[in-house]
C-alpha cells in the first residue's frame, strides 16, 4: 500500500489545501475541489475530468475491499468524466462515471453501480445494484424511485467561475503542475 | 423513540366524556360543561382556506369557484411536490439593433424533488415570473355546463312548486332551503323583490315560473364508428418510464393522461384552517387566527392547559405478583392552586352513579341538546362503549389523602425561596419531591399480567377565572377524570 501521493493537477484547477488526496490522482482543468473533500486512490489511480465540482465532505474512494483480494493483478482505474457535480457528503465507490452527472447531497454509489451521462442521483439515495445507470435517469426519494429526464442537467459553469475567483481568497491551494516549456 | 411516537404518547391515557381513551395532547377541555372532549365530541368547522405554498388567504366563495385550488402555485405531475419557478437567460436579438444580442430572462417551472421541468412536455418558457402558464381545457366542459344549467332550472321549478304548496301563511325559514345547484341566492333575490337573474326572463309574482332551458340530448355514437385500438399497442415494447402510474393519473381526473408527453402540472390544493366546537354547549374550543402564517390561536382550550398532566417519572422493576413502586409527576398548568386526590375506579363509578341519581331526583331532565346557534340542527353526541373495565390489568395501591398542587408561576424559576404550600402539609410517603407547580407522587402496583396497565381517577379542583365576566365570581369545581397508565412489561 503506497502512501506516496502522486497528484497531477492541471493548470486552471482549483484544489484547496485542506482536502485529503491519497494515491495516484489526476485532476483536469477548471475542476474545483472544496476543502474537506476526500479522494483516496488506494487500490488504483483516479482520473478526474474537467469542470467538475467536488464539494465538502465528499468521498471519492478507490479502495480495496478485504473480502476479495485482486487475483488477476489488474489495477482498477476509476475514471470520472467532465461537468459532474458531487454535492456535500456524497460517497462514490464505483469505477466509471460519465459526464454531466449530479450526485446530490449524502448520496451513495456502491462499487458496482456505474453512471453513464446525465444521471441525477437524489439526496440521500443509496445505489448499490450491479448495473450501469442509463442516460438521463433521475433517482429520487427515500425508496430510490426512478424517472427518465428530458435532457441532461444544466452544467454549473457559473458556479465554477464564481468559486475559482472566491476560493483562492480564503483558502490555500495546492500547486498545479507547471506546463513544460518547449 | 421520538416523543410523538404512538407508544410514547399512549402511555398515559385520559378517558374522555364520550368514553374513548386519548392522550392529553388530543383532548380539549370545555370550560362550560367542565368536561373533557376528544376529536369525536367536537364538531369541526371550516374557518378559512389558504394555499400552503404562497400562504394566500382565499374567501370561501372564491375557493369554491376555483375548485379549492390556488391560482399561482403548481404541483409537479410526477411526484406532487410544489413546483418552483426558475429563471434562465436566453440571448435574444435586441429590438433596437437586430445584430446585437441581449440576454433576456425566461422562466420555467421545475420540481426540486424529481427534477421534472415544464420543458419536458414542451411548455414554452414564459417571459414573466408569475407566468400565465397555458392550461388544458376540458373538452366536455361546455356540455357539462349546459347540463348543469338545465338541471338547475328544473330544480328551481320543483322548489317553487314545493314552496307554493307549503306556503300557508307561516313564515318559512331561509335555512331550510338547501343549496342545491346554488339556488339559495336565486330564492333570496326573489323574496327580496329584486328581479330574478336566471333564465333571461324577468319574473313577476309567483305565478309565472321560469321555463327550463331545453337541452338537446347528446348525439349517440354508433358502435360501428368506434375505432379499434391501434394494433401497435400489442406489438410495441412498453417504455415504462413513459407510462404514468394510477396515482399520477388520478391526480388529474379530467384528463387522466397515460403517458408523460401530455401531462400538465396541476394547481395546488388549498388547505383549511378549522375551528372546533363542543357539541353539547356549542361553545368554541379551538379557534385559530385568520392569518395563514400565524400558528397561534384566538381560543385554545386544550386539555393540556387546564387539566393536570400526569407523566411517568420512575418505575421500579416490575415482577408479577410482587408489589413495586413507581413515581408519577403531576403538573398543574392552571394559574390557581388545586387539591388533588386519587380515587379508585370502582369508587369513581359509584360517585358518578350517585351524582346522576341526585340529579334525577332534583328533577333536572336530560334534555336533548339543541344547538344554540341553529335551532334546527341537532348535534350528534358520541357515546363510546365503556371499555375501561378491561383496560386496567394490575392492582394499584393509591396513596391516601390529598396533595396540594401549587399554581403555575412563571416567575418561580428565578425565585429560590421554595414552594409555597398555602398551609397544606405534605405526607412524606406520598410526595417524593416538589418543584414549583410539579409534584412527584409515589404509588405502588402489583402486576397480575405481563402487560401492566394501571387505572385510577384523579380528583382535582378547577377554578374558572374567566367564566362569568359580569359577576366577577370565581367558581371552583371539583372534577374527576379516569386515567390509565401503561407501566410496561412485568417479568
Amino acid at each position: 500500500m503506497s502512501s506516496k501521493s502522486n497528484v497531477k493537477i492541471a493548470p486552471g484547477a482549483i484544489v484547496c489545501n485542506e482536502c485529503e488526496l491519497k494515491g495516484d490522482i489526476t485532476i483536469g482543468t477548471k475542476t474545483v475541489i472544496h476543502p474537506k473533500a476526500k479522494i483516496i486512490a488506494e487500490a488504483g489511480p483516479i482520473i478526474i475530468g474537467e469542470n467538475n465540482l467536488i464539494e465538502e465532505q465528499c468521498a471519492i474512494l478507490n479502495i480495496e475491499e478485504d473480502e476479495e483480494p485482486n487475483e488477476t493483478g489488474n489495477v482498477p482505474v476509476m475514471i470520472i468524466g467532465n461537468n459532474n457535480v458531487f454535492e456535500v457528503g456524497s460517497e462514490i465507490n464505483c469505477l466509471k462515471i460519465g459526464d454531466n452527472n449530479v450526485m446530490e447531497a449524502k448520496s451513495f454509489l456502491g462499487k458496482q453501480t456505474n453512471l453513464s451521462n446525465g444521471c441525477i442521483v437524489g439526496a440521500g439515495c443509496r445505489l448499490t445494484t450491479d448495473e450501469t445507470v442509463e442516460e438521463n435517469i433521475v433517482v429520487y426519494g427515500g425508496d430510490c424511485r426512478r424517472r427518465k429526464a428530458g435532457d441532461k442537467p444544466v452544467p454549473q459553469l457559473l458556479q465554477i467561475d464564481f468559486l475559482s475567483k472566491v476560493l483562492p481568497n480564503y483558502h490555500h491551494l495546492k500547486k498545479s503542475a507547471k506546463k513544460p516549456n518547449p | 423513540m421520538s416523543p410523538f411516537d404512538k407508544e410514547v404518547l399512549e402511555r398515559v391515557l385520559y378517558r374522555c366524556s364520550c368514553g374513548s381513551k386519548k392522550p392529553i395532547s388530543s383532548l380539549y377541555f370545555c370550560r362550560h360543561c367542565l368536561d373533557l372532549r376528544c376529536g369525536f365530541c367536537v364538531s369541526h368547522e371550516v374557518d378559512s382556506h389558504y394555499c400552503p405554498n404562497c400562504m394566500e388567504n382565499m374567501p370561501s366563495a372564491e375557493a369554491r369557484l376555483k375548485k379549492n385550488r390556488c391560482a399561482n402555485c403548481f404541483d409537479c405531475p410526477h411526484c406532487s411536490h410544489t413546483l418552483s419557478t426558475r429563471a434562465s437567460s436566453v440571448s435574444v436579438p435586441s429590438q433596437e439593433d437586430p445584430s446585437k444580442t441581449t440576454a433576456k430572462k425566461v422562466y420555467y417551472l421545475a420540481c426540486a424533488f424529481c427534477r421534472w421541468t415544464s420543458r419536458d412536455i414542451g411548455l414554452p418558457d414564459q417571459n414573466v415570473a408569475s407566468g400565465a402558464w397555458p392550461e388544458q381545457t376540458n373538452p366536455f366542459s361546455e356540455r357539462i355546463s349546459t347540463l348543469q344549467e338545465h338541471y338547475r332550472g328544473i330544480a328551481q321549478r320543483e322548489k317553487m312548486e314545493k314552496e307554493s304548496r307549503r306556503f300557508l301563511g307561516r313564515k318559512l325559514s331561509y335555512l331550510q332551503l338547501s343549496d342545491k345547484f346554488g339556488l339559495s341566492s336565486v330564492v333570496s333575490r326573489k323574496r327580496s323583490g329584486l328581479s330574478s337573474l336566471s333564465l333571461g326572463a324577468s319574473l313577476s309574482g309567483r305565478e309565472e315560473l321560469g321555463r327550463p332551458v331545453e337541452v338537446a340530448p347528446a348525439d349517440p355514437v354508433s358502435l360501428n364508428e368506434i375505432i379499434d385500438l391501434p394494433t401497435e399497442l400489442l406489438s410495441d415494447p412498453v417504455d415504462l418510464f413513459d407510462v404514468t402510474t394510477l396515482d399520477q393519473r388520478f391526480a388529474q381526473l379530467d384528463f387522466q393522461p397515460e403517458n408523460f408527453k401530455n401531462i400538465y402540472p396541476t394547481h395546488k390544493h388549498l388547505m383549511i384552517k378549522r375551528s372546533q366546537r363542543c357539541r353539547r354547549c356549542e361553545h368554541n374550543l379551538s379557534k385559530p387566527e385568520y392569518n395563514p402564517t400565524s400558528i397561534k390561536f384566538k381560543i385554545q382550550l386544550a386539555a393540556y392547559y387546564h387539566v393536570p398532566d400526569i407523566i411517568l417519572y420512575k418505575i421500579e422493576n416490575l415482577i408479577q405478583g410482587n408489589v413495586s413502586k413507581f413515581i408519577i409527576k403531576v403538573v398543574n398548568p392552571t394559574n390557581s392552586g388545586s387539591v388533588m386526590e386519587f380515587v379508585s375506579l370502582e369508587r369513581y363509578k359509584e360517585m358518578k352513579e350517585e351524582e346522576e341519581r341526585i340529579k334525577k331526583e332534583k328533577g333536572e331532565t336530560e334534555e336533548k341538546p339543541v344547538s344554540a346557534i341553529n335551532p334546527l340542527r341537532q348535534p350528534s353526541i358520541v357515546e363510546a362503549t365503556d371499555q375501561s373495565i378491561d383496560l386496567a390489568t394490575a392492582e394499584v395501591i393509591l396513596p391516601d389523602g390529598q396533595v396540594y398542587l401549587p399554581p403555575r408561576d412563571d416567575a418561580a424559576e428565578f425565585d429560590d425561596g421554595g414552594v409555597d404550600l398555602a398551609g397544606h402539609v405534605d405526607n412524606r410517603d406520598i410526595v417524593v419531591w416538589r418543584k414549583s407547580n410539579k409534584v412527584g407522587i409515589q404509588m405502588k402496583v402489583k402486576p397480575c399480567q405481563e402487560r401492566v396497565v394501571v387505572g385510577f381517577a384523579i380528583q382535582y379542583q378547577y377554578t374558572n377565572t374567566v367564566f362569568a365576566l359580569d359577576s366577577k365570581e370565581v367558581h371552583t369545581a371539583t372534577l374527576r377524570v379516569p386515567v390509565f397508565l401503561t407501566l410496561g412489561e412485568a417479568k
Side-chain angles (χ1 to χ4, degrees):
Chain A
M1 196 175 71
S2 71
S3 51
K4 231 181 15 176
S5 179
N6 183 7
V7 180
K8 291 196 244 346
I9 304 176
I14 310 279
V15 180
C16 294
N17 218 5
E18 272 87 26
C19 66
E20 197 181 321
L21 300 174
K22 251 200 236 167
D24 191 1
I25 304 173
T26 310
I27 300 175
T29 184
K30 293 206 103 189
T31 295
V32 178
I33 302 187
H34 284 234
K36 292 294 176 197
K38 211 167 26 162
I39 306 181
I40 314 275
E42 273 177 14
I46 298 181
I47 302 173
I48 302 180
E50 306 177 358
N51 273 314
N52 294 306
L53 182 53
I54 303 174
E55 295 190 355
E56 291 89 343
Q57 312 264 21
C58 178
I60 301 180
L61 309 168
N62 185 5
I63 48 182
E64 261 174 33
E65 284 171 13
D66 301 280
E67 293 110 34
E68 292 175 20
N70 214 334
E71 297 150 346
T72 54
N74 279 348
V75 174
V77 181
M78 186 192 246
I79 302 178
I80 298 179
N82 309 323
N83 290 311
N84 296 305
V85 176
F86 299 97
E87 286 189 20
V88 177
S90 45
E91 187 176 327
I92 297 104
N93 293 305
C94 69
L95 292 177
K96 185 117 184 39
I97 295 185
D99 303 330
N100 291 302
N101 299 304
V102 176
M103 299 277 300
E104 283 187 15
K106 290 232 170 193
S107 48
F108 178 88
L109 276 183
K111 207 162 174 77
Q112 278 121 353
T113 316
N114 295 316
L115 295 183
S116 55
N117 305 323
C119 302
I120 302 180
V121 181
C125 292
R126 291 180 65 93
L127 289 182
T128 51
T129 47
D130 185 2
E131 62 168 328
T132 301
V133 180
E134 278 178 29
E135 302 220 348
N136 295 334
I137 294 283
V138 179
V139 181
Y140 66 99
D143 42 1
C144 292
R145 280 175 273 173
R146 294 197 183 189
R147 188 187 85 85
K148 197 165 179 77
D151 51 0
K152 60 186 201 304
V154 180
Q156 300 284 345
L157 298 168
L158 215 63
Q159 172 81 334
I160 288 178
D161 281 339
F162 174 73
L163 286 172
S164 313
K165 293 194 197 82
V166 166
L167 272 179
N169 294 341
Y170 298 97
H171 294 278
H172 294 288
L173 303 176
K174 285 204 200 288
K175 284 212 162 58
S176 58
K178 285 204 193 120
K179 263 199 193 144
N181 289 329
Chain B
M1 185 80 89
S2 88
F4 301 111
D5 278 347
K6 201 161 170 225
E7 311 158 349
V8 180
L9 267 187
E10 303 211 335
R11 292 195 86 175
V12 179
L13 293 173
Y14 285 68
R15 185 183 177 279
C16 170
S17 53
C18 65
S20 51
K21 320 278 177 310
K22 295 271 162 78
I24 196 171
S25 49
S26 318
L27 292 171
Y28 301 92
F29 180 73
C30 182
R31 259 209 304 240
H32 301 268
C33 314
L34 291 178
D35 216 349
L36 287 176
R37 299 272 178 251
C38 68
F40 294 112
C41 316
V42 299
S43 52
H44 304 254
E45 296 160 359
V46 171
D47 230 17
S48 60
H49 298 267
Y50 68 98
C51 169
N53 190 34
C54 55
M55 295 293 184
E56 188 199 329
N57 234 318
M58 216 181 269
S60 343
E62 193 186 336
R64 211 165 147 192
L65 209 69
K66 294 197 181 152
K67 301 198 181 145
N68 290 333
R69 307 252 172 188
C70 177
N72 312 324
C73 309
F74 291 92
D75 274 345
C76 172
H78 197 87
C79 60
S80 17
H81 185 63
T82 313
L83 289 177
S84 45
T85 313
R86 297 246 179 93
S88 73
S89 274
V90 161
S91 314
V92 160
S94 85
Q95 283 154 346
E96 300 101 47
D97 193 355
S99 58
K100 277 197 226 154
T101 56
T102 52
K104 190 179 70 160
K105 278 217 156 114
V106 284
Y107 301 92
Y108 62 97
L109 293 171
C111 171
F113 190 48
C114 68
R115 303 248 179 170
W116 181 91
T117 62
S118 58
R119 290 175 179 163
D120 280 354
I121 47 171
L123 272 185
D125 297 342
Q126 297 293 319
N127 299 326
V128 194
S130 56
W133 294 100
E135 311 228 351
Q136 275 175 314
T137 46
N138 194 343
F140 303 110
S141 57
E142 245 185 62
R143 175 82 189 147
I144 290 179
S145 53
T146 39
L147 283 174
Q148 248 189 331
E149 280 294 326
H150 172 69
Y151 285 112
R152 199 175 291 163
I154 291 181
Q156 189 192 351
R157 207 155 56 113
E158 282 180 6
K159 214 79 201 180
M160 291 297 148
E161 287 173 10
K162 210 163 131 187
E163 205 183 296
S164 57
R165 268 184 274 130
R166 278 187 351 126
F167 185 62
L168 293 170
R170 267 185 309 157
K171 219 177 167 194
L172 207 57
S173 166
Y174 279 95
L175 300 159
Q176 282 184 322
L177 296 164
S178 66
D179 198 6
K180 201 166 147 191
F181 303 109
L183 278 181
S184 54
S185 59
V186 176
V187 176
S188 50
R189 280 187 78 93
K190 213 168 146 51
R191 278 205 170 272
S192 54
L194 294 167
S195 64
S196 167
L197 291 170
S198 65
L199 309 175
S202 62
L203 303 173
S204 54
R206 202 174 281 281
E207 293 83 35
E208 196 183 304
L209 299 167
R211 262 172 301 130
V213 178
E214 289 302 321
V215 171
D219 293 324
V221 178
S222 120
L223 276 177
N224 297 331
E225 289 175 7
I226 294 180
I227 312 164
D228 284 332
L229 285 175
T231 45
E232 285 90 44
L233 281 178
L234 294 170
S235 53
D236 277 349
V238 174
D239 183 12
L240 277 179
F241 281 122
D242 215 15
V243 179
T244 55
T245 66
L246 281 182
D247 286 328
Q248 288 160 351
R249 276 183 221 185
F250 295 155
Q252 308 188 16
L253 279 176
D254 286 349
F255 308 101
Q256 295 186 30
E258 280 152 27
N259 49 22
F260 280 110
K261 294 209 180 52
N262 40 22
I263 198 169
Y264 273 69
T266 50
H267 282 275
K268 208 162 179 56
H269 240 306
L270 295 178
M271 295 215 169
I272 54 164
K273 284 203 156 206
R274 64 172 175 175
S275 63
Q276 276 140 325
R277 204 182 274 278
C278 171
R279 276 191 213 233
R280 267 188 229 266
C281 64
E282 297 286 321
H283 281 101
N284 258 324
L285 293 178
S286 158
K287 198 170 165 80
E289 281 192 4
Y290 184 70
N291 189 2
T293 52
S294 161
I295 57 166
K296 297 196 191 159
F297 288 85
K298 283 188 203 154
I299 301 174
Q300 191 182 29
L301 288 176
Y304 183 75
Y305 297 111
H306 295 270
V307 175
D309 189 14
I310 294 185
I311 300 160
L312 293 175
Y313 188 72
K314 206 200 279 188
I315 308 172
E316 261 179 28
N317 273 331
L318 297 167
I319 306 166
Q320 275 197 33
N322 288 9
V323 172
S324 334
K325 295 186 202 158
F326 67 97
I327 302 176
I328 57 170
K329 173 165 98 167
V330 183
V331 180
N332 177 14
T334 59
N335 288 334
S336 51
S338 165
V339 175
M340 188 175 229
E341 230 182 283
F342 296 96
V343 172
S344 73
L345 280 180
E346 294 90 24
R347 180 95 187 88
Y348 167 77
K349 255 191 225 136
E350 285 171 20
M351 283 203 236
K352 218 167 115 175
E353 279 164 14
E354 219 179 285
E355 272 173 21
E356 292 203 356
R357 221 176 9 97
I358 294 173
K359 233 166 64 171
K360 277 209 180 88
E361 281 174 12
K362 270 199 195 158
E364 283 174 23
T365 47
E366 188 72 30
E367 285 174 356
K368 235 186 165 179
V370 178
S371 160
I373 297 169
N374 185 350
L376 296 167
R377 181 175 84 166
Q378 275 175 351
S380 49
I381 311 283
V382 174
E383 190 79 35
T385 54
D386 198 357
Q387 299 158 338
S388 26
I389 314 160
D390 298 328
L391 206 57
T393 61
E395 266 179 58
V396 62
I397 298 146
L398 295 169
D400 275 333
Q402 299 176 335
V403 181
Y404 175 69
L405 292 175
R408 188 169 152 236
D409 189 6
D410 289 322
E413 54 183 296
F414 306 109
D415 179 20
D416 293 326
V419 187
D420 175 25
L421 288 180
H424 291 85
V425 179
D426 264 349
N427 185 344
R428 275 281 118 199
D429 290 332
I430 305 175
V431 175
V432 181
W433 51 264
R434 271 187 186 272
K435 187 177 174 190
S436 66
N437 64 333
K438 304 179 188 111
V439 187
I441 293 177
Q442 190 177 64
M443 296 191 179
K444 300 196 191 70
V445 64
K446 187 170 170 193
C448 313
Q449 293 173 26
E450 229 185 88
R451 192 162 164 268
V452 184
V453 178
V454 157
F456 54 89
I458 54 170
Q459 179 176 304
Y460 64 101
Q461 287 173 343
Y462 178 69
T463 313
N464 215 336
T465 47
V466 201
F467 187 17
L469 292 165
D470 46 348
S471 58
K472 292 269 193 241
E473 277 172 24
V474 169
H475 298 261
T476 306
T478 306
L479 302 174
R480 257 170 250 120
V481 181
V483 177
F484 297 92
L485 310 174
T486 305
L487 294 177
E489 305 277 327
K491 294 190 197 28

